[in-house]
Amino acid sequence: MRIELKFLNKPEAYPPPSPSTLGPQKAPWADGTASTPLGEVPRVRTSLLTSDRLGFWKARWGIGRMRYTVEPGLYAAGSPSAESPVLVTANYKMSFDRLRSELGGLDAWIMVLDTRGINVWCAAGKGTFGTAEIVRRAASTGLEKIVSHRTLVLPQLGAPGVSALEVRRQSGFRAVYGPVRAQDIPEFISRGMKATPEMRRVRFPFLERVALVPMELLPMAKWAGILAAALFALSGLGPGIFSAERMLSDGPGSASSFLGIYVASTALGPALLPWLPGRSFSAKGAWLGAALFACLLALSGGLISGRLEAAAWALIATAVSSHMVMNFTGSSTYTSLSGVMREMKYAVPLQIAGLVAGLGLLVAGRLVP
């Protein structure tokens, strides 16, 4: 950290301000330009277009997710002056759009950081929404020549990655933390940049949790498909070692049961999160997996025969569900990076062991009379 801060204090570390560093001017969401002492900067629309809403949907489904960005730099909302507030956000376009869509009727500057297409909270944990990038971006946009005050309004969820003291020491700008939700920014500004307790409260309601399910499903879909195919093939094991007829008969049931556990745990985990027992997400997932196994056992219609196969499916369901619900920690502001790393250190080996043991018992159950 000392080396990085020393580097940032060198004037040559920052490129000279120019229109190209201040952002694109012909994007669909741009609405003309605003004049600054350093040239024109794009003015953003404060109402979302159909293309913006379509982009939201595609990002939720992981379509072009890592390309869903805006160029870092400085933007204008309304007709900001040298006294207008400076709001800081990430260059993940959904974060950018959520902010600008709440600024109707306001005059403000938006300083977009290069978070590599990651939202504010996750970027704060990864270090891309942090002290160094804030200082760098304020210098590269020539912000001190554009505004007369020295205050930056940062999103509250970006606080874990920022040292307000270092921001002020290195850039001269004071960091003020705004509300959790962009919709409260107009009131926050009207109150003299004072947040109410309600503005500070972090919420994660049902609809916001289930909206993230598609993005949680897709990253692991390939591996889920591979395991489902393996279970399909293993269904051919039995007396005589292997039977294609048996595989075609039992395989669809085994594969669909596994995929059902995968989809159900990924969807029901976030949906039922507040009510699942346990503090850690992996424990919550394990409880959900046990419940899914009970449902599978009741609905299997003879698919599961014998104690070994029952034990196998219990381990598989618990391991898969525990992992998928634990994976949701990356979408929840209820967890910290250190807590997640500590949980994964113990949970992941147990999940792998459970899955491997379950597959082993499944093979044994097929081969042992």
Side-chain angles (χ1 to χ4, degrees):
M1 178 61 73
R2 291 179 180 175
I3 295 175
E4 182 181 26
L5 295 180
K6 183 178 180 181
F7 171 77
L8 287 172
N9 283 328
K10 293 182 179 181
E12 62 268 24
Y14 306 108
S18 67
S20 62
T21 64
L22 300 181
Q25 301 193 17
K26 295 184 179 180
W29 37 262
D31 186 24
T33 60
S35 298
T36 77
L38 299 177
E40 300 295 309
V41 302
R43 178 182 286 110
V44 302
R45 299 178 187 272
T46 54
S47 58
L48 299 181
L49 303 174
T50 300
S51 59
D52 297 319
R53 300 183 188 280
L54 178 61
F56 279 18
W57 180 86
K58 290 169 66 177
R60 290 298 192 201
W61 283 94
I63 302 172
R65 166 63 185 84
M66 298 313 297
R67 300 189 301 276
Y68 196 52
T69 62
V70 297
E71 184 177 333
L74 193 66
Y75 298 83
S79 300
S81 65
E83 292 78 32
S84 297
V86 180
L87 309 174
V88 182
T89 190
N91 77 324
Y92 176 40
K93 189 171 183 294
M94 192 178 295
S95 298
F96 176 73
D97 287 351
R98 294 291 190 194
L99 174 59
R100 67 182 175 89
S101 66
E102 299 294 343
L103 300 182
L106 293 179
D107 298 321
W109 303 101
I110 302 174
M111 189 171 78
V112 178
L113 306 185
D114 183 4
T115 60
R116 302 173 190 174
I118 301 172
N119 65 67
V120 170
W121 174 72
C122 291
K126 294 176 182 293
T128 53
F129 190 104
T131 303
E133 174 59 13
I134 292 171
V135 173
R136 182 183 299 113
R137 196 58 51 187
S140 68
T141 56
L143 189 61
E144 64 179 9
K145 298 180 180 179
I146 294 175
V147 296
S148 57
H149 60 82
R150 292 296 178 265
T151 301
L152 300 175
V153 180
L154 309 179
Q156 180 177 312
L157 294 182
V162 179
S163 168
L165 181 64
E166 284 298 327
V167 169
R168 182 150 196 174
R169 185 178 73 82
Q170 295 182 54
S171 71
F173 281 88
R174 178 174 67 101
V176 173
Y177 291 105
V180 170
R181 297 181 178 277
Q183 66 191 40
D184 292 326
I185 285 178
E187 182 183 353
F188 172 78
I189 292 175
S190 70
R191 291 172 56 88
M193 296 191 183
K194 302 291 185 182
T196 64
E198 187 64 19
M199 291 181 189
R200 294 291 184 214
R201 187 176 180 183
V202 178
R203 299 177 182 272
F204 200 24
F206 175 81
L207 290 180
E208 291 186 8
R209 296 197 304 272
V210 297
L212 298 169
V213 169
M215 190 57 202
E216 296 301 319
L217 273 173
L218 292 177
M220 295 291 290
K222 179 180 72 173
W223 296 108
I226 291 173
L227 285 170
L231 287 167
F232 184 92
L234 289 175
S235 297
L237 295 175
I241 303 300
F242 187 84
S243 167
E245 182 179 352
R246 187 164 46 238
M247 180 181 69
L248 294 176
S249 173
D250 297 348
S254 294
S256 60
S257 294
F258 177 82
L259 292 175
I261 291 169
Y262 167 71
V263 173
S265 60
T266 308
L268 293 178
L272 302 177
L273 191 66
W275 303 284
L276 291 172
R279 181 178 178 84
S280 70
F281 280 39
S282 56
K284 288 176 178 290
W287 281 107
L288 177 59
L292 292 174
F293 166 69
C295 293
L296 176 64
L297 195 62
L299 301 174
S300 65
L303 173 68
I304 299 176
S305 59
R307 293 182 180 179
L308 284 179
E309 282 200 43
W313 278 104
L315 287 170
I316 291 171
T318 303
V320 170
S321 183
S322 176
H323 184 78
M324 294 312 299
V325 176
M326 184 189 69
N327 195 47
F328 194 70
T329 56
S331 302
S332 167
T333 52
Y334 292 160
T335 55
S336 66
L337 180 61
S338 60
V340 171
M341 297 301 292
R342 185 166 56 251
E343 179 179 354
M344 290 178 63
K345 178 181 178 181
Y346 298 102
V348 171
L350 289 174
Q351 292 159 359
I352 294 173
L355 181 61
V356 172
L359 292 174
L361 286 176
L362 193 62
V363 172
R366 287 276 175 174
L367 296 179
V368 175

